[in-house]
Amino acid sequence: MKVLKYVVNRLFFFAITLFFALTLNFVIPRFMPGDPAERILMRFGPNIDEQAIEAMRIALGLDKEKGLLRQYFEYLKNTFSGNFGISYLHYPVPVKQVLASSLPWTLGLVGTSTVISFILGTLLGVYAGWHRDRRAGSGILIFSLCLRSIAYFWLAMLFLYVFGYRLGWFPLSNAYSTKETLHGFRFVLSVIYHAVLPSMTLIVASLGNWILTMRNNMISVLAEDYITLAEAKGLGEGYIMLHYAARNAILPSITAFGISLGFVVSGALLTEIVYSYPGVGYQLYRAVLSQDFPLIQAIFFFVSLSVLLANLIMDFLYAFLDPRVRG
Amino acid sequence: MFEVLELNAGYEFRNRFVHAVRNVSFKVEQDDFFGIAGESGCGKTTLMLASLGLLKKPGKVISGRVLVEGLNLLALSNDELKKVRWKKVSLVTQSSMNSLNPVMKVKDQMADVLIRNHGFSKSDAYELVKEKLKLVGITPDRMESYPHQLSGGMRQRVVIAMALLLSPRVIFMDEPTTALDVVVQRSILQQIEELKKKEHFSIVFITHDISLLFELATKIAIMYAGEFVEVGEATLVYSRPLHPYTKGLIEALPSISKDLEKYKSIPGRPPDLTLKIEGCPFRERCSFAFERCRVEKPELRFVNGRWVACHLY
Ligand SMILES: Nc1ncnc2c1ncn2[C@@H]1O[C@H](COP(=O)(O)OP(=O)(O)OP(=O)(O)O)[C@@H](O)[C@H]1O
Ligand SMILES: [Mg+2]
């Protein structure tokens, strides 16, 4: 019964926050300076007449005739039917299409990297915390401190230069081979091949933090009486490490992992720029520069949605892992 | 049955050594209720952990032996230790939320040692868990609970039941009731006494509350700055304490008959345990101290039926 109450409670909270996020997403771009219609037309030359601008406004759904409330309801309706309007920047390509060509790449690259980094970092952190007095533990600690101090942008460039340019092991740009048209399995291989360097960069950039967080959690859990009792019982080292120490130490990391997962959708701007990877980060960057409201709005919508969804999932995972939350 | 011989232990701390257990020896016999009392920080917990081979880095045992039925616990291999632990000697830690693993059901964290180390089947293990919980007055339906669903007193009873699982000969208890309110404390102490009579184990009971020991213990040891300064029959030590520190502790006890003004606490603080202590460790707080106390360290000697380390005798 308590579990059900918890689930309903979380779902309710999710719905409310999503509603607020949606509303903010509607309001904020409308208070930004500049006229998007003018901006688009400006690309076609310096002399634009008033009528053309007005026509463009109507096409963009920004005409003054419609009240704000009507605009708002239209916005809600469009958002839920996946109709995000037309991108100013890529005019006349619909936002939907722009996202369809970048979102999957970002989800694949950044999502996979985040998950790998979390799992690897957490495992190393468990080990480093458990063996903190031994050489292996100190080794991992030093390794993670080094990782943390590396500038991530610089690392991306270095990888690109060494493994891509100098050694030629990996491609320099793009998400898949553009030289030939590949299908099925060979296409997947090509995608993985192109993702190696950027995902290595992303993993290296976040791994150190996961290791350190987990190591710290482990060390504070190891001071608890139940660990001493487990040792006094003569239980095996591996069993205590996993079932008594790590099982408790991972709880604080779960929330942080949820947040990272939520922000996957916003892409990884620097990596995408360095590796010319067709992801959302780069699209968002360009959209902001050219005030492409529909695109910005759509990306923000997906970011809010995924942050909230990731949180919801982590709340459920947390409740599954920690009986105290269930009540 | 359980014997500690010349144990020295402590912690490596910023290039210094906190010598928290100094040459301590004691012997626990069948049916003993052996109490160890001393101020906070005098090394009681370190003594217990070192005696059980549980002292972790930066803690370190420098020398000494711990004999359990003839075996030296500190020299056993991991595999041999597995067989001795919990079966010959178990322990109860300070009562609080963290003596139980918060993410494991009560029955599972009790049964795991039976299943993994002592060849129990799952159903046999749960059966034994149920039986031992009954012994401390916890109903079987609580087996499915998680620790946070139990009250502080119940949690501590679970820990006691856990210590009883393999019917060990000796159970160490490190301040098992300090975190509980007085009423619960009473009922748990009473239960410990009853269980001891029924199950015939010996107890090593560690506390800073010496008054508890005078009620419960058969033998007591007074610990000061890492050393035992007086060891003997509880009734004897209480009625005729010899060491000035023991006297001070007894005089500092609150009692209903005494006026508040007559309370005497012992002035001063114990010495720094990182230093090598010349002479008697208590001399600076002792009103009987004389020249010899400064230069010569008093050894434990048998005086008037108990052991005491003091130059006065
Ligand atoms: N991990 C550690 N590193 C360094 N010194 C420590 C460590 N743990 C304990 N000590 C020191 O060792 C001494 C003995 O500590 P111990 O915990 O054994 O005392 P105690 O008698 O159990 O005290 P309490 O009644 O407060 O539990 C203290 O001076 C303490 O400061
Ligand atoms: Mg202690």
Side-chain angles (χ1 to χ4, degrees):
Chain A
M1 227 30 231
K2 269 180 178 160
V3 178
L4 188 69
K5 204 175 145 200
Y6 179 81
V7 171
V8 170
N9 193 326
R10 291 290 94 190
L11 282 173
F12 179 72
F13 185 72
F14 169 77
I16 296 282
T17 6
L18 184 63
F19 170 74
F20 275 109
L22 275 172
T23 309
L24 270 182
N25 203 13
F26 169 80
V27 172
I28 289 172
R30 260 150 256 263
F31 285 107
M32 297 224 274
D35 183 345
E38 236 170 277
R39 279 183 170 268
I40 293 174
L41 291 174
M42 230 136 68
R43 298 172 182 213
F44 300 112
N47 314 315
I48 323 143
D49 62 61
E50 234 359 84
Q51 264 174 327
I53 294 178
E54 198 47 45
M56 185 54 103
R57 280 206 190 105
I58 292 169
L60 295 174
L62 290 170
D63 47 331
K64 304 251 159 57
E65 255 90 289
K66 268 190 229 161
L68 218 54
L69 204 63
R70 234 179 101 197
Q71 282 187 33
Y72 179 64
F73 282 115
E74 235 164 60
Y75 155 80
L76 284 183
K77 196 183 111 212
N78 286 338
T79 303
F80 284 113
S81 54
N83 175 11
F84 299 103
I86 291 174
S87 163
Y88 305 168
L89 176 66
H90 303 272
Y91 189 83
V93 181
V95 167
K96 210 180 192 171
Q97 216 167 306
V98 177
L99 283 179
S101 68
S102 55
L103 201 53
W105 299 116
T106 286
L107 283 179
L109 175 72
V110 188
T112 315
S113 308
T114 305
V115 172
I116 291 177
S117 183
F118 173 73
I119 293 174
L120 200 64
T122 299
L123 289 177
L124 284 171
V126 167
Y127 192 82
W130 184 257
H131 292 294
R132 69 188 181 287
D133 300 316
R134 290 178 231 175
R135 200 165 291 169
S138 324
I140 295 174
L141 175 64
I142 292 168
F143 170 70
S144 61
L145 288 172
C146 290
L147 283 186
R148 276 226 314 191
S149 56
I150 295 175
Y152 145 68
F153 185 62
W154 181 82
L155 187 80
M157 306 267 272
L158 184 77
F159 277 4
L160 187 70
Y161 179 72
V162 176
F163 300 113
Y165 182 70
R166 279 304 338 219
L167 297 170
W169 291 351
F170 294 101
L172 295 171
S173 64
N174 273 323
Y176 53 93
S177 178
T178 42
K179 287 188 215 93
E180 47 193 331
T181 340
L182 299 169
H183 294 285
F185 185 60
R186 302 225 4 229
F187 178 73
V188 173
L189 272 187
S190 155
V191 169
I192 293 175
Y193 181 52
H194 280 75
V196 171
L197 280 189
S199 73
M200 286 256 290
T201 321
L202 290 172
I203 291 172
V204 169
S206 55
L207 189 62
N209 268 328
W210 292 126
I211 297 177
L212 285 178
T213 311
M214 196 58 188
R215 180 180 177 273
N216 286 346
N217 297 348
M218 278 294 279
I219 287 174
S220 57
V221 166
L222 289 180
E224 303 281 358
D225 277 353
Y226 55 81
I227 302 288
T228 307
L229 275 183
E231 277 164 1
K233 288 199 271 186
L235 293 168
E237 204 179 333
Y239 178 75
I240 301 177
M241 176 170 84
L242 294 177
H243 289 80
Y244 280 75
R247 193 54 186 69
N248 283 290
I250 201 168
L251 297 174
S253 285
I254 293 293
T255 315
F257 179 52
I259 294 171
S260 306
L261 269 190
F263 280 106
V264 160
V265 169
S266 66
L269 176 63
L270 291 179
T271 308
E272 286 171 17
I273 289 177
V274 173
Y275 294 98
S276 312
Y277 205 84
V280 176
Y282 186 53
Q283 289 295 355
L284 178 60
Y285 171 69
R286 296 221 303 164
V288 168
L289 284 188
S290 48
Q291 294 197 350
D292 187 346
F293 289 164
L295 188 52
I296 297 176
Q297 260 185 340
I299 293 176
F300 279 2
F301 167 72
F302 278 110
V303 172
S304 340
L305 185 68
S306 74
V307 167
L308 292 175
L309 264 180
N311 265 320
L312 188 68
I313 293 168
M314 290 306 139
D315 278 347
F316 290 152
L317 181 63
Y318 204 104
F320 176 72
L321 290 175
D322 189 348
R324 284 164 293 190
V325 174
R326 273 175 265 150
Chain B
M1 200 168 74
F2 187 95
E3 197 172 4
V4 171
L5 293 164
E6 298 180 346
L7 191 64
N8 279 284
Y11 303 90
E12 268 152 357
F13 180 65
R14 293 196 197 137
N15 297 324
R16 304 217 287 176
F17 188 73
V18 185
H19 196 165
V21 175
R22 299 176 173 222
N23 223 31
V24 171
S25 303
F26 64 94
K27 190 170 182 178
V28 183
E29 320 246 24
Q30 177 79 43
D31 288 329
D32 267 356
F33 194 123
F34 190 93
I36 301 176
E39 281 166 288
S40 186
C42 72
K44 304 179 298 288
T45 301
T46 314
L47 172 62
M48 176 186 77
L49 294 177
S51 308
L52 299 175
L54 291 170
L55 199 58
K56 276 181 286 187
K57 276 191 176 181
K60 199 178 166 190
V61 174
I62 317 168
S63 64
R65 285 184 300 157
V66 177
L67 300 181
V68 184
E69 291 173 5
L71 291 171
N72 181 5
L73 200 80
L74 302 182
L76 293 183
S77 71
N78 274 343
D79 281 344
E80 290 168 317
L81 267 177
K82 247 185 196 173
K83 285 179 221 141
V84 177
R85 287 196 160 150
W86 224 248
K87 196 162 176 123
K88 304 265 185 241
V89 49
S90 65
L91 78 101
V92 174
T93 46
Q94 199 160 331
S95 95
S96 66
M97 184 62 199
N98 58 7
S99 16
L100 291 170
N101 183 348
V103 298
M104 258 171 133
K105 281 183 184 170
V106 163
K107 65 169 188 185
D108 290 321
Q109 55 188 313
M110 289 183 75
D112 60 2
V113 61
L114 303 175
I115 297 165
R116 300 182 69 86
N117 288 17
H118 299 279
F120 279 66
S121 73
K122 237 183 172 160
S123 56
D124 285 354
Y126 289 147
E127 204 46 51
L128 185 62
V129 167
K130 195 191 282 177
E131 190 186 304
K132 297 290 172 180
L133 284 175
K134 222 182 257 167
L135 216 51
V136 298
I138 290 182
T139 50
D141 58 314
R142 288 299 189 173
M143 287 171 67
E144 301 291 331
S145 301
Y146 286 95
H148 74 276
Q149 294 164 325
L150 307 177
S151 69
M154 273 187 184
R155 284 202 290 264
Q156 200 56 1
R157 285 175 213 275
V158 169
V159 178
I160 292 169
M162 188 149 81
L164 292 171
L165 273 176
L166 292 162
S167 309
R169 312 290 303 281
V170 182
I171 302 180
F172 275 72
M173 301 187 174
D174 186 4
E175 320 223 8
T177 56
T178 344
L180 302 171
D181 69 64
V182 189
V183 179
V184 180
Q185 189 172 343
R186 278 281 134 207
S187 90
I188 287 190
L189 289 174
Q190 237 164 42
Q191 193 150 45
I192 290 175
E193 272 202 301
E194 281 161 24
L195 285 169
K196 182 174 171 297
K197 277 188 203 124
K198 219 191 290 176
E199 304 270 302
H200 296 290
F201 51 86
S202 311
I203 294 179
V204 179
F205 194 98
I206 293 171
T207 179
H208 59 253
D209 183 357
I210 194 173
S211 62
L212 281 182
L213 293 185
F214 291 133
E215 286 174 43
L216 300 166
T218 55
K219 285 185 200 164
I220 70 169
I222 306 295
M223 196 172 183
Y224 184 76
E227 296 177 31
F228 279 3
V229 293
E230 185 159 3
V231 187
E233 297 290 327
T235 43
L236 186 67
V237 173
Y238 184 50
S239 56
R240 281 182 289 138
L242 289 185
H243 198 284
Y245 181 60
T246 318
K247 286 181 185 166
L249 286 179
I250 292 171
E251 271 167 23
L253 285 180
S255 78
I256 304 169
S257 58
K258 267 193 279 184
D259 296 333
L260 264 178
E261 281 132 51
K262 285 200 197 145
Y263 285 163
K264 280 198 218 158
S265 68
I266 308 169
R269 294 168 48 81
D272 182 352
L273 290 176
T274 56
L275 304 176
K276 183 166 167 26
I277 300 167
E278 302 279 344
C280 175
F282 189 59
R283 68 165 196 281
E284 276 169 12
R285 300 170 75 183
C286 180
S287 48
F288 305 99
F290 54 103
E291 177 58 17
R292 192 175 164 205
C293 304
R294 201 173 54 77
V295 288
E296 190 190 332
K297 188 175 154 44
E299 296 298 328
L300 274 176
R301 287 183 313 119
F302 198 69
V303 180
N304 287 345
R306 95 291 307 276
W307 294 85
V308 63
C310 180
H311 289 316
L312 288 174
Y313 310 99

